[in-house]
Amino acid sequence: MSSIHEITLMLNGDPVEAAVAAHTLLVDFLRDSHALRGVKRSCDMQVCGACTVLVDGRPVSSCTMLAVDADGASVVTIEGLGGPDGLDPVQEAFLEHGALQCGFCTPGFILATKALLATNPSPSREEIVHHLSGNICRCTGYQKIIEAVESLAR
Amino acid sequence: MLPRPFTYHRPTSLDEAVTLMARHVDDVSPYAGGTELLLAMKMHFADYEHLVDLKRISELRAVKRNGGTLSIGALATHAAIAADAAIQGSLPALAGLCGSIANARVRAAGTIGGNLCFAEPRADPPVLLAALDAQLCLISARGERHVAASQFITGALETVRAPDEILLRIDIPLTARSTRYERVVHGHRTVAGAAAVIAQDAHAAPRVWLGCVATHPVALPNAEAHVAANPGVLDNALTQAIASDIARLDIADDEDASADYRRHLATTVAIRAITATVEQEERA
Ligand SMILES: Cc1cc2nc3c(=O)[nH]c(=O)nc-3n(C[C@H](O)[C@H](O)[C@H](O)COP(=O)(O)OP(=O)(O)OC[C@H]3O[C@@H](n4cnc5c(N)ncnc54)[C@H](O)[C@@H]3O)c2cc1C
Ligand code: FES
Ligand code: FES
């Protein structure tokens, strides 16, 4: 039996309280308990980036983080971007540049981009490539993704 | 896959963590970023009844410079080390390495202490820290002790850490004038990495270490002797000295490289690291 823990967190801006078993992974907590299906599980080993979420602004692999670790943190998934007034600028840039095809990798790329721009608002092309090198896309060939992010650099 | 069930402990002080480790010593693991541990537990390679999460003990993250020593808390993440102004200024080779290993998510969660304690044969920081003659400070209910980074890892996934010990910090003497780590990466992991360190003190011996090749980092004594006797000389004899050191290592074929190819890469990264320090010396 795992120990059970009461956790409180901000999830996409809303306060959430939950009881989680110690061995619950964050990806399952988000997808199964909160129906946030924009969080994808693919490689399950921190290589592909499909499961990327922001925890206190840092990009993490939710496939390899415990839900209990999110206690006290602010967690943002793709569902937390944009709002009634429209899409987030990063989402807009991906659309404008055709930086997605099937879209499976897109939430991860967009959140990874948010994390990059938060610490480095004017990344060079080289910095963009380095930062996104842990996210895998099987469709686009990356070129348009890099162009979309370049268009956001100030 | 899911990890098997366990009991999770989250101490907020070091005393509390030490007590928990002692109480559950028979089946306990410290838990930091989880980037190795959770992976191993998900694959059911590792299994513990108790995890002691060290992340809420803020003193374990501290980076300090005390005179000629740089102290890095075991819980400092790769991303924090890469972005730390004191480390960038005093030890750019380490900041640069931590900013380039793995990917942005692993760098944001993974810690330097977790990297050392897991002792993955392909880990980079242990090689550089051994060459820098870093000292590791460990704590348990029996007290603190210090172990040289060069003696900490004894084999694949094997260290001298006792099951109830917590790595507190890494103390790095800032005595080097030229430092370089060079590596060749294949896929997600390094296939050969070498560190060269030339001390400020002309009488101190140069250090050349190799890792990601055999089961754990090793010194290259013939290369070190050649560099000591022929400072600044990059000749065929240096290549032969390196090759003679590497010939003595037990290197196996694996999915990334054949043993022969890995020997070739090992020689190449060692030459690159030494060459880079020679260039730094010329500029100094
Ligand atoms: C996709 C990927 C790519 C990677 N690429 C590289 C690379 O190129 N080069 C490289 O060097 N590494 C690489 N790594 C490894 C990475 O550096 C480590 O996963 C990370 O540093 C481990 O730290 P952690 O805090 O997550 O450790 P954890 O997973 O939390 O712990 C690892 C082990 O150390 C123990 N431990 C942790 N902290 C302490 C402590 N303070 N005291 C005592 N024991 C402790 C744990 O009990 C556990 O056994 C990669 C990892 C991944 C997943
Ligand atoms: S599913 Fe988490 S990184 Fe691939
Ligand atoms: S758009 Fe299909 S994987 Fe990236």
Side-chain angles (χ1 to χ4, degrees), chain B residues 177-193:
Chain B
R177 187 165 58 205
S178 301
T179 304
R180 181 69 154 232
Y181 183 70
E182 282 284 335
R183 62 183 190 141
V184 173
V185 179
H186 183 249
H188 304 288
R189 297 285 173 151
T190 302
V191 263

Side-chain angles (χ1 to χ4, degrees), chain B residues 247-263:
Chain B
R248 283 204 305 266
L249 302 178
D250 199 6
I251 302 176
D253 292 335
D254 69 14
E255 69 276 15
D256 286 322
S258 66
D260 277 351
Y261 183 46
R262 196 170 236 124
R263 278 197 186 89

Side-chain angles (χ1 to χ4, degrees), chain B residues 11 13-22 29-31 52-54 57 60 74-75 117 136-145 152 161-169:
Chain B
S13 75
L14 192 54
D15 281 351
E16 205 188 327
V18 166
T19 307
L20 283 164
M21 293 294 293
S29 175
Y31 166 56
V52 176
D53 186 356
L54 305 174
I57 309 172
L60 290 181
L75 271 279
C117 292
L136 309 186
C137 180
L138 297 147
I139 192 168
S140 69
R142 296 177 302 286
E144 282 188 21
R145 69 173 177 131
F152 183 65
R161 183 180 76 82
D164 61 343
E165 277 183 315
I166 293 170
L167 177 61
L168 281 181
R169 61 170 199 277

Side-chain angles (χ1 to χ4, degrees), chain A residues 108-129:
Chain A
F109 269 99
I110 287 177
L111 291 164
T113 301
K114 291 290 287 179
L116 171 65
L117 295 174
T119 53
N120 181 0
S122 44
S124 64
R125 187 183 175 89
E126 200 185 354
E127 287 168 330
I128 294 168
V129 169

Side-chain angles (χ1 to χ4, degrees), chain A residues 45-47, chain B residues 29-39 48 54 60 74-75 78 100-103 106 109-115 117-118 122-126 161 165-168 183 185 188-190:
Chain A
M45 50 197 293
Q46 304 163 90
V47 168
Chain B
S29 175
Y31 166 56
T35 59
E36 295 285 20
L37 182 66
L38 291 181
L39 213 53
Y48 298 96
L54 305 174
L60 290 181
L75 271 279
H78 297 303
S100 71
I101 62 180
N103 58 47
V106 173
T111 64
I112 187 118
N115 184 296
C117 292
F118 198 65
R122 306 292 171 246
D124 298 287
R161 183 180 76 82
E165 277 183 315
I166 293 170
L167 177 61
L168 281 181
R183 62 183 190 141
V185 179
H188 304 288
R189 297 285 173 151
T190 302

Side-chain angles (χ1 to χ4, degrees), chain A residues 99-106 109 136-140 145:
Chain A
L100 63 149
Q101 289 180 26
C102 79
F104 189 83
C105 69
T106 312
F109 269 99
I136 293 175
C137 174
R138 285 291 182 226
C139 305
T140 64
I145 295 176

